[in-house]
Amino acid sequence: MLSVGSKWPEFRVKACVGIEPGGLTEITNQSYEGKWLVYLFYPKDFTFVCPTELAEFGRREKDFRDRDAVLLGGSTDNEYSHLAWRQFHPQLRDLPYPLITAQKLAADLGIIDPDEGVCLRATFIVDPEGTIQWVSVNNLNVGRNVAEVLRVLDAVQSNELTPCNWNPGDPYLKVAG
């Protein structure tokens, strides 16, 4: 699995950005140049834990945007499955970020569950230079904590030493010397 300090792989994916058939597009590494990127990989469309996460990230999307970060969700499902799921699930209809088709990208990242053949519940924070700054991977049945992803994004963007349980507004650690 790619980890902190690794360069994000080159990719070209199909994406669903709305609930209309015209809401299908293509996204590449160049689509969000100069932005912080937060990738949310999840196992499957039409499941139970996944929409709770995607909807909550959607509700908090402005918090990410305020930090100059773009959210991108993705699974090994294709763009038509993403579209149908968004049309079907009321909490996903107005999702303010794309759902990408991540079959090859997930394999390149090393986040395919070997037994199920689907994405692990992986989160990556990638800086504007394309370097992975944070990775978190949960088991297929364990949802993420959106507030924790925001807290870590704040810590990484601060470029300071942040102690255990640090939150924005708390003091940074200072090195004597």
Side-chain angles (χ1 to χ4, degrees):
M1 183 174 84
L2 293 185
S3 192
V4 173
S6 298
K7 279 298 190 184
W8 193 256
E10 289 292 320
F11 71 93
R12 177 177 301 279
V13 296
K14 301 286 185 192
C16 175
V17 295
I19 60 170
E20 300 302 324
L24 301 177
T25 191
E26 188 172 83
I27 293 175
T28 70
N29 296 70
Q30 291 73 41
S31 296
Y32 302 104
E33 282 187 299
K35 297 285 187 182
W36 286 83
L37 300 172
V38 179
Y39 290 89
L40 317 165
F41 294 97
Y42 62 93
K44 296 179 191 176
D45 293 345
F46 294 98
T47 57
F48 305 101
V49 176
C50 299
T52 66
E53 293 185 308
L54 297 178
E56 183 59 22
F57 274 100
R59 283 188 284 278
R60 303 290 305 269
E61 186 270 342
K62 183 181 181 312
D63 295 329
F64 287 92
R65 197 169 2 105
D66 289 346
R67 291 159 173 84
D68 203 29
V70 175
L71 292 172
L72 295 139
S75 74
T76 54
D77 296 300
N78 68 38
E79 67 274 25
Y80 299 106
S81 178
H82 294 334
L83 176 63
W85 192 32
R86 288 189 59 176
Q87 290 170 336
F88 170 79
H89 200 291
Q91 291 185 328
L92 302 180
R93 292 181 67 78
D94 296 323
L95 205 58
Y97 58 90
L99 297 181
I100 65 173
T101 61
Q103 298 91 339
K104 182 176 179 331
L105 180 57
D108 290 347
L109 293 168
I111 59 166
I112 300 287
D113 181 87
D115 296 325
E116 296 292 326
V118 299
C119 290
L120 293 168
R121 203 172 297 283
T123 310
F124 291 85
I125 295 176
V126 180
D127 70 21
E129 288 76 43
T131 302
I132 298 170
Q133 295 296 325
W134 183 68
V135 179
S136 176
V137 181
N138 295 7
N139 202 345
L140 299 177
N141 64 328
V142 178
R144 284 168 269 229
N145 182 317
V146 178
E148 175 62 3
V149 177
L150 282 163
R151 186 194 75 82
V152 172
L153 179 60
D154 286 332
V156 169
Q157 288 181 332
S158 77
N159 204 29
E160 296 285 346
L161 296 174
T162 56
C164 178
N165 297 326
W166 176 88
N167 283 295
D170 291 350
Y172 300 114
L173 293 175
K174 300 295 179 200
V175 178

